[in-house]
Every structure is written in C-alpha cells, then in structure tokens.
Amino acid sequence: MFVQEEKIFAGKVLKVHVCTMEGTEWLEEVTEDTTIEKLKEKCLKHYVHGSLEDPKTLTHHKLIHAASERILTESKTVAEENLKDKDCLLLIKKRPPLAPPKMADISSEEKKKQENKAPDKEAILKATANLSTRNTDRTVTQHNIRDFQTELRKILVSLIEVAQKLLAMNPDAVELFKKANAMLDEDDEDRVDETALQQLTEMGFPESRAVKALRLNHMSVTQAMEWLIEHVDDPMVDTPLPGQDTPGAAAAPAPAPGLSATVLGARARLSSQASIEEAKQDELTEIFKRIRRKREFRPDSRAVIALMEMGFDEKEVVDALRVNNNQQDAACEWLLGDRKPTPEDLDKGIDTNSPLFQAILENPVVQLGLTNPKTLLAFEDMLENPLNSTQWMNDPETGPVMLQISRIFQTLNRT
C-alpha cells in the first residue's frame, strides 16, 4: 500500500473550531507543524468556497485565538502558538488604514484655523488706528471693584494698633499678653498635620525633626521628606525653630518675679510708681516682640532658590514672595513688573477717619473681640500668613469678628 511521504512525517492532527463575524462556523483539521499563514489560507478557501481570486484577500484577514484574545502570528506554526485540539479561532477582516487627508482638505483646514486665530497686537493697532482716543479714569474703576483680601491687610494693620492700645490699658495687660503668647505656642502645636506626621515617623524619621520639616514646608509630606533627607547630616537639624524653644527657655526672659518685687516696693513707696509702669511697658514690648517674631514671614525655600537662579537678589526675592503670599509665579511677575505694591505698602494701615474703619470700630462684636488677646494673635497671623485666614474664620472666638469685618466691607463696597 502506497502512503504519501508528507503523511508519514506530518505532526499531530488537531481539529480547531473556526468562526467568522457573519456567524459561519466549521471544524478545520490542521497538523501541529502547519504555519498560521497556511491555516488562514485554508480557512479562507473554505469561507469563499475554494476560490481566492483576489490575492489581497489573504493579507486582509487575521486569525485570533478566542480564549486569549490574541492575534496569531502568521510566521509561527500551530505548535509554536500553543493551539490545542478544539480551540476556537476567529477569522476576522482587518480594518483598512485611514486614508491620508487630501491636500484640498488640509488647505481648507489651515484656512479655517487662520480665520479663527485671534488678532495680534499689530493687527489690533492697524484696525483701531483711525478711532478717536478716549481718556477713561481707570483709577476710579479699580477703586470700585477693590476686593476684600487686598483691603483686609490694611484693615488688620490698623486694628492691631487699636487692639494693642486697648489691651495695654487693661490692669492685667501683662498676664493677658502672656496668655496670648501661650496660645501661640499651643496653636503652633495644633497646626501640625497628624496624618502627615505619622507618614514621616513611619518612614523612620524622629518626630521632632518631622514636625520641624512639616512646618518649614507648609505641611507637604513630599517636600518635608526631601528636606529631612537633605539635612540628615546637618548638625543644626535638631535646632528648634524660632518660637519653639523649650518651656524653660521660653520662660527665661519673663521678669515676673522682679515685677512682683517692684509692686511690693511700690506699696511702701509711691514714688516708685513710675518705674513700675516702665517695667510693665518693657515687659509688654518684649511679649509683643516675641509674638511678632513667632509669626514673622517665612519664605518658601524652594521658591527662593528657583527665583535666585533666575538672577534676582535674595532680598528682593524674599520681598516678592512676602508681597505675593509665597506664590512663586506671582512673585516672578512682580519682580519682572513695576513691583507694586511695595513691601513698605504692606505695613500701611487704612485711613482711620474713613467711613469703613469707623463702621468697623463701632460694631459691638468687633469692639468685644478687640479686648481678646486671641483676636490680636489672629490679626498678627493673618498679616504675615494670609493663607491662614480660613482657619481664623472658623475659630469660635475670632470667626464672628472676621465675619462682621467682611460684612461691613461688602456693604460699604456696594454703596
């Protein structure tokens, strides 16, 4: 009996299930050493009933393994593609490539873009050259649309002066301001983001360093982590920030015992009353300095470096960041522009004879709030850190005062 040579050396015969998008199904027998290209050709001949008149038909189709959703490589064999008996294959026509756009379409599209393009400065000047000029008073317009945040700083500067005078007249002024100083320390402790602190301590950083890093980097975990890594060998890394000394160190300058001795002496000698008042004023001044020092502006170190790399001097960079609330982009525009307002303008208060300031001082809620040391503390903080305004607006003691100031401003601004 004669047997064909290819039948003798053929591999294992598999039966695969073939489907088309039109719903046609059949079983195709194929050996393991058959290439996918040959298998596809057999499938197409079955699909078109034995005729492949168009040679492109073969290249325009592909076989997909249904279970794994992968396209079979035509140069590989059935065995190399790891096809099994009774596997299901999909015979699918390839999507034709997108036709390139015609030149006429491109030119019309470009023309449309040019038509929709905004005019440049030269085109505007050319189109308006024959128009008559009109002098408009832009200063009045800007004054009418002044915003609360811009005016708030001037209001705060003037209110701080009033609050200091009112609190200084109180017989217990020294104790009140010591209380304000203690509030400041307590507030600094509460300001640390516990979640951010936990993330850093879980990384292995000491808690004291993590707290310092978070305060220096506005509670940003990423920036604080980078700061800790950069300063790991810094001998000053554990030095407390200004206003965060140990309780003993913070209490050292307070001359309370001396003051008490002076008061006792004043009871015996009325002539020493002047020295008592002088000591009291000195202590108040010292406490004021400590409060202001703790709330002094701290420029963003990254913004300082970035702006100095552009060629600006460190002092003018710090001024720019202070004027623009540590916003790097705004500070850059300020440095490149007319530099208005100036840093000196930030310390100017509102006209104390203006209707706005008089209305604020006449408000009972504001009057009561100005006798509270915490209100002074809030004003000082917002003056140097405007981004903290929201915190003080939500505070039960300072929030009502800020709300009244805002309402009075909005009412007068509309009229």
Side-chain angles (χ1 to χ4, degrees), residues 23-55:
T24 309
E25 300 180 19
W26 70 92
L27 286 174
E28 194 73 56
E29 290 188 355
V30 63
T31 58
E32 289 183 328
D33 56 355
T34 304
T35 62
I36 299 299
E37 185 177 14
K38 286 290 183 183
L39 174 58
K40 184 174 71 172
E41 187 177 348
K42 286 179 67 178
C43 294
L44 284 170
K45 284 181 178 179
H46 183 280
Y47 181 50
V48 298
H49 306 291
S51 174
L52 286 177
E53 295 178 357
D54 187 357

Side-chain angles (χ1 to χ4, degrees), residues 229-248:
I229 294 171
E230 290 173 5
H231 293 79
V232 67
D233 297 321
D234 187 350
M236 304 295 289
V237 68
D238 292 317
T239 304
L241 292 172
Q244 294 174 8
D245 300 327
T246 59

Side-chain angles (χ1 to χ4, degrees), residues 30 93 164 198 248 386:
V30 63
K93 191 173 183 179
Q164 286 180 348
Q198 182 179 356

Side-chain angles (χ1 to χ4, degrees), residues 166-414:
L166 286 174
L167 289 167
M169 291 170 62
N170 192 307
D172 301 320
V174 173
E175 292 302 319
L176 284 173
F177 282 106
K178 282 182 181 178
K179 180 182 176 184
N181 200 29
M183 284 181 188
L184 188 58
D185 291 332
E186 182 181 340
D187 183 63
D188 280 341
E189 291 297 324
D190 294 340
R191 202 178 295 276
V192 177
D193 188 327
E194 292 297 330
T195 305
L197 179 61
Q198 182 179 356
Q199 290 181 28
L200 291 175
T201 53
E202 287 177 353
M203 295 178 192
F205 297 110
E207 183 175 343
S208 59
R209 291 188 188 181
V211 169
K212 180 177 180 180
L214 286 169
R215 284 178 175 151
L216 285 174
N217 293 276
H218 310 290
M219 298 300 148
S220 169
V221 176
T222 305
Q223 293 182 14
M225 181 179 64
E226 292 178 2
W227 184 90
L228 286 164
I229 294 171
E230 290 173 5
H231 293 79
V232 67
D233 297 321
D234 187 350
M236 304 295 289
V237 68
D238 292 317
T239 304
L241 292 172
Q244 294 174 8
D245 300 327
T246 59
L259 182 59
S260 300
T262 308
V263 172
L264 291 173
R267 290 175 181 173
R269 294 173 299 174
L270 293 175
S271 60
S272 63
Q273 187 66 35
S275 63
I276 298 174
E277 291 299 323
E278 186 178 348
K280 181 179 175 182
Q281 284 300 118
D282 288 343
E283 186 166 10
L284 282 174
T285 303
E286 181 61 30
I287 295 174
F288 279 146
K289 285 180 180 178
R290 265 186 279 161
I291 293 175
R292 179 63 64 89
R293 189 165 54 248
K294 289 178 182 179
R295 289 302 186 193
E296 66 185 0
F297 175 72
R298 291 175 185 165
D300 187 316
S301 57
R302 294 178 182 276
V304 171
I305 294 170
L307 292 171
M308 287 182 65
E309 286 177 350
M310 297 180 188
F312 296 111
D313 179 72
E314 183 178 2
K315 183 182 180 304
E316 57 187 5
V317 166
V318 173
D319 286 344
L321 289 170
R322 181 167 178 249
V323 170
N324 294 281
N325 302 332
N326 259 337
Q327 301 297 317
Q328 183 178 324
D329 292 341
C332 183
E333 291 180 10
W334 184 87
L335 288 165
L336 295 171
D338 59 3
R339 303 194 177 187
K340 299 288 184 179
T342 64
E344 291 73 24
D345 292 336
L346 298 180
D347 298 323
K348 292 180 180 177
I350 192 173
D351 181 6
T352 53
N353 295 319
S354 66
L356 172 60
F357 193 68
Q358 292 299 319
I360 291 172
L361 289 183
E362 290 171 5
N363 185 279
V365 177
V366 176
Q367 290 176 357
L368 185 62
L370 291 175
T371 61
N372 184 351
K374 192 171 184 179
T375 304
L376 176 62
L377 174 69
F379 290 169
E380 292 277 8
D381 186 26
M382 287 185 286
L383 201 61
E384 295 301 336
N385 302 285
L387 297 178
N388 292 342
S389 299
T390 305
Q391 170 197 337
W392 294 113
M393 288 287 286
N394 295 328
D395 186 276
E397 293 182 62
T398 59
V401 178
M402 295 305 301
L403 182 62
Q404 290 301 319
I405 294 172
S406 176
R407 284 178 176 174
I408 293 168
F409 173 84
Q410 299 297 343
T411 302
L412 293 181
N413 199 34
R414 283 194 295 269

Side-chain angles (χ1 to χ4, degrees), residues 117-153:
K117 187 179 178 182
D120 55 17
K121 185 177 179 180
E122 186 178 347
I124 293 172
L125 291 174
K126 185 178 179 181
T128 58
N130 298 325
L131 296 177
S132 58
T133 57
R134 296 181 182 179
N135 295 322
T136 58
D137 190 353
R138 296 189 178 184
T139 306
V140 174
T141 305
Q142 292 295 327
H143 176 73
N144 289 338
I145 59 171
R146 60 182 180 171
D147 71 301
F148 179 58
Q149 290 301 325
T150 303
E151 293 296 314
L152 179 60
R153 184 176 185 88

